[in-house]
Amino acid sequence: MNNRILLAVCGGIAAYKAAELTRLLRKKNVEVQVVMTESATQFVSALTFQALSGNPVQTRLLDEYEEQAMGHIHLARWASSIVIAPATANMIAKLSYGLADDLVSTLCLAATCPIYVAPAMNQAMWHNPVTQENIARLKQRGISMIDPEQGEQACGETGIGRMAEPASICARLIGDKPYLMPQTNVDSTQKTRGILEGVKVLISAGPTREPLDPVRYITNRSSGKMGYALAEAALQAGASVTLVTGVVNLKAPAAAEVVQVETAEQMYHAVTSRAQEHNIYIGAAAVADYAPVQIKEQKIKTQAHESTIILQKTKDILAAVALLPHRPFVVGFAAETHDLAVYAKGKLVRKKLDMIAANWVGKEQGGFDRDENSLHVFWHDGDKVLPMTSKTQLAQQLIALISKRMNEKMAAKIAL
Ligand code: C5P
């Protein structure tokens, strides 16, 4: 049981998130002791952590008040696990080389319990080969990494390096709903066979293309792999499938009825005109949120140094389907670079969906144009994490979850 966590805070702007992590761990009845590097105390005061953890905070290796000046050994023995959050590039390098010149690095060297490292740094420092080598060495030694996320950084740059959110670090530490787990090889085809017999499923997949002129368009990185895998999984589960697809480089399942579209407007009409004949609609397409106001009939000439394109919002297909009088069971997707749960749950409510499958994009672990992904699925009174696996298996698991939720919804309606 991971009930005595030693939280080591290093000097970075993400140190403020460690305060929230302390609070979350305390809420789960975990005892927390905090140690800080000297530079961490420049960002957040030791008093903050003392108040939140309910324990004195140590910052120095040699503390005259600590019995026999052996505080680091006591702390290392006390902890059921250690988490370094945020872990700076400097601390990662120290751990990698076994240095022990401050309290945090020394007690890590003295510890025999599991150690978790949640890095936070500028994206260029993260990508630097020496940081990556150090991280690989730590992993080889069995230290668990809680990978940083993609997004805007305090330095004004955008990229990988933001510390993972306190809630996901907390979940990882106490084994509650980890976001990313090793790939599983369980074949779930057997479990889904026949569960959608007689059910009609409409799926939209791939990107849309929003033309500017006869030769140019605005699009996104969607490969269509998730939507196509869902079409395959729904067919395997016994459903009849209509696949409304943007332009992709994939072969559609032979048994699906395929409707080819290009723009968000075309996808809107293709989906909304068919949705009421279907029992389930899964909006897995990466629909452009904005399209050019004007499509020029002739190729736009290169003239001025700068050029402006005026865009207008496209119609929200999912929200429109959810408002139809005979609406199917509506499942949306949310591709997020940060605050995944908050945005996904917001869309579930705002678009009046039955379910939403959220995934990280722009992250090393998955997202657009990859063969693997992980999903965090939300519905109104529950959620489930589908850990990192192939999109084929993920689609089978999502189809199983959709079928279960749809049956529960129908049963609840009948009971009323
Ligand atoms: O709001 P956001 O675009 O992130 O929502 C993503 C979900 O909404 C996806 O399921 C996508 O297919 C759907 N969507 C839509 N119509 C739009 C934009 C997004 O159906 N115009």
Side-chain angles (χ1 to χ4, degrees):
M1 175 74 179
N2 206 359
N3 55 1
R4 290 188 313 276
I5 291 182
L6 184 65
L7 168 60
V9 185
C10 300
I13 186 66
Y16 79 92
K17 288 190 183 175
E20 173 67 359
L21 176 59
T22 310
R23 201 185 61 80
L24 292 175
L25 289 168
R26 289 294 303 127
K27 256 177 82 178
K28 297 271 179 190
N29 287 328
V30 174
E31 204 180 328
V32 183
Q33 294 230 33
V34 179
V35 293
M36 301 174 80
T37 61
E38 288 292 338
S39 56
T41 59
Q42 310 275 318
F43 288 90
V44 183
S45 88
L47 209 57
T48 305
F49 287 106
Q50 185 173 318
L52 288 169
S53 67
N55 281 316
V57 172
Q58 318 254 358
T59 56
R60 293 168 48 200
L61 180 56
L62 300 173
D63 189 336
E64 58 270 35
Y65 299 111
E66 182 66 32
E67 192 187 350
Q68 297 168 323
M70 295 291 274
H72 56 284
I73 303 291
H74 293 153
L75 281 170
R77 284 193 195 136
W78 170 86
S80 58
S81 66
I82 296 176
V83 57
I84 309 178
T88 53
N90 178 51
M91 183 56 70
I92 288 168
K94 283 202 225 183
L95 298 185
S96 157
Y97 286 95
L99 297 186
D101 61 352
D102 70 345
L103 178 58
V104 174
S105 55
T106 305
L107 66 86
C108 284
L109 208 55
T112 51
C113 64
I115 299 179
Y116 294 82
V117 172
M121 66 195 73
N122 160 275
Q123 55 86 24
M125 291 168 79
W126 171 255
H127 287 297
N128 193 306
V130 73
T131 304
Q132 290 303 315
E133 269 168 38
N134 288 334
I135 285 169
R137 286 163 71 130
L138 295 188
K139 280 186 184 167
Q140 258 173 17
R141 270 194 246 131
I143 290 182
S144 305
M145 301 302 297
I146 304 179
D147 288 336
E149 293 171 3
Q150 167 92 22
E152 254 180 53
Q153 303 203 299
C155 54
E157 292 175 20
T158 302
I160 295 176
R162 282 162 59 112
M163 190 176 84
E165 288 305 314
S168 49
I169 300 178
C170 177
R172 202 43 204 275
L173 293 174
I174 57 178
D176 180 19
K177 295 181 197 150
Y179 269 104
L180 298 167
M181 283 164 53
Q183 183 170 349
T184 60
N185 283 318
V186 191
D187 176 14
S188 41
T189 344
Q190 292 306 327
K191 285 196 205 140
T192 58
R193 192 146 289 154
I195 60 169
L196 290 183
E197 209 63 66
V199 176
K200 292 172 104 182
V201 181
L202 176 64
I203 298 171
S204 51
T208 62
R209 285 179 176 176
E210 309 305 330
L212 289 160
D213 68 16
V215 291
R216 303 182 180 98
Y217 54 79
I218 301 171
T219 190
N220 58 63
R221 291 180 193 278
S222 168
S223 62
K225 284 179 184 164
M226 192 67 223
Y228 275 56
L230 282 164
E232 191 66 69
L235 287 165
Q236 278 168 4
S240 58
V241 174
T242 308
L243 179 62
V244 176
T245 176
V247 182
V248 294
N249 216 351
L250 299 171
K251 205 164 163 278
E257 185 194 331
V258 179
V259 184
Q260 181 76 54
V261 297
E262 210 170 308
T263 63
E265 183 70 14
Q266 289 167 359
M267 190 172 273
Y268 175 87
H269 289 294
V271 169
T272 51
S273 63
R274 290 172 174 83
Q276 299 194 90
E277 299 151 19
H278 289 81
N279 308 99
I280 298 171
Y281 168 54
I282 309 175
V287 186
D289 292 315
Y290 291 90
V293 171
Q294 259 196 350
I295 305 170
K296 299 276 190 232
E297 274 176 25
Q298 294 182 341
K299 189 179 166 204
I300 302 164
K301 287 281 159 224
T302 317
Q303 284 164 340
H305 185 59
E306 284 183 350
S307 173
T308 305
I309 303 164
I310 302 177
L311 303 173
Q312 67 186 353
K313 230 170 163 344
T314 55
K315 292 179 195 146
D316 194 311
I317 305 169
L318 266 180
V321 171
L323 288 178
L324 291 171
H326 301 288
R327 64 175 263 173
F329 186 87
V330 185
V331 183
F333 269 76
E336 306 294 347
T337 54
H338 61 285
D339 296 329
L340 177 126
V342 177
Y343 284 118
K345 285 195 236 171
K347 282 175 199 177
L348 177 77
V349 175
R350 201 172 56 251
K351 301 192 186 201
K352 300 189 167 52
L353 310 179
D354 292 296
M355 194 180 248
I356 192 153
N359 69 287
W360 295 105
V361 281
K363 237 189 140 188
E364 279 177 343
Q365 288 90 338
F368 282 162
D369 207 15
R370 305 273 173 125
D371 291 325
E372 294 181 341
N373 209 353
S374 60
L375 291 174
H376 195 164
V377 188
F378 299 89
W379 53 97
H380 293 284
D381 52 1
D383 69 314
K384 189 175 167 76
V385 172
L386 302 179
M388 181 68 77
T389 187
S390 67
K391 284 186 177 170
T392 306
Q393 290 204 9
L394 204 57
Q396 288 161 1
Q397 292 166 9
L398 186 59
I399 287 293
L401 198 55
I402 292 171
S403 158
K404 186 164 176 278
R405 288 292 312 147
M406 190 177 68
N407 290 338
E408 282 168 4
K409 190 181 172 188
M410 270 164 24
K413 258 194 189 159
I414 292 165
L416 284 175

